[in-house]
Amino acid sequence: MANPIVREKLDRGEFFVAPGLQDMISTVVANQVGFDVVYGTGYWLTASSLGLPDAGIATYTQMLDRMSTLVKTSNAAVIADADTGYGGLLNVHHTVRGYEAAGVTVIQLEDQEFPKKCGHTPFKRLIPLEDMVEKIKVAVAARQDSRHFLIAARTDARQSEGLDGALRRSEAYARAGADILFPEALTSETEMRQACAAFDTPLMANMADGGLTPVLPAKVLEEIGYAFAIYPSMTSLVAAAAMRDGLRALKTTGSYADLPIFDFKEFCGLIGFEEVWDFERRWAK
């Protein structure tokens, strides 16, 4: 069952941020910090679990398993990247049904050809607008809970069709029934403002470090007119930098004692060891 909090926030016009989570360690830490909405990122879940690029290599089955585990582990509502729906219209139907059954709150679908590419990398190719409209209509028809399980329609048209093309596609996807619009890889604050001013449908911003879109403070994004922002790469890049520092220190000096590390006992608590210990105390002979 979808978590109602995203719908409630959108209805109230309450801006929010959702960090991208690449694995279950980042998920339990996000639980501790207290986020109520998180983002299941295709790029970073694929990198974390398979060590592969976000290029349509991970299958629907692999990503459904990863998203299902994320939903079970997280205390928050999950916005989940579902790429192109992993194929044609029948694939979209099954993807929507599978993600909704897994407890995802928002499913994100994009208008690239399959296999897709990361939205901030080259060689993206789009399907015709009419084909994506049909995908959105299929997604809307496939869901069981039309109130709380939401469809986010992403367009990657900015680089090949310009801003006008991205806005034209977004408008068509809104008419097809998308609850949230996601014009990806806009290249300036001016373009971001134009996009937000063009629609009554809520827009999401993608704050991808190193990408084509300027990374702006949350307060600025709210003022521009976005409904919410995802930060898909933040936890992954912070973690990768910390791991590299630790590994370099260990390799060069044989010690990492001067580096900040998470307290082990505290982490045992986050991951659920207290329940294991309580069980052992009750049942171990």
Side-chain angles (χ1 to χ4, degrees), residues 12 23 25 45 49 127 141 144 152 160 189 196 201 268:
R12 291 194 300 265
D23 58 21
I25 293 178
L45 283 169
S49 61
I127 62 174
Q144 305 296 297
S160 59
E189 182 176 336
C196 287
T201 305
C268 285

Side-chain angles (χ1 to χ4, degrees), residues 1 6 111 124 206 214:
M1 182 175 179
V6 172
D111 58 5
K124 297 178 292 183
N206 184 13

Side-chain angles (χ1 to χ4, degrees), residues 220-266:
V220 175
L221 295 172
E222 181 179 10
E223 185 272 323
I224 287 172
Y226 283 105
F228 65 93
I230 58 171
Y231 294 75
S233 58
M234 187 273 290
T235 59
S236 301
L237 293 177
V238 168
M243 285 187 281
R244 184 174 61 185
D245 289 346
L247 292 168
R248 281 177 173 171
L250 181 63
K251 182 177 181 181
T252 58
T253 71
S255 173
Y256 55 91
D258 294 333
L259 296 176
I261 64 171
F262 205 100
D263 181 78
F264 177 66
K265 290 183 178 179
E266 184 181 0

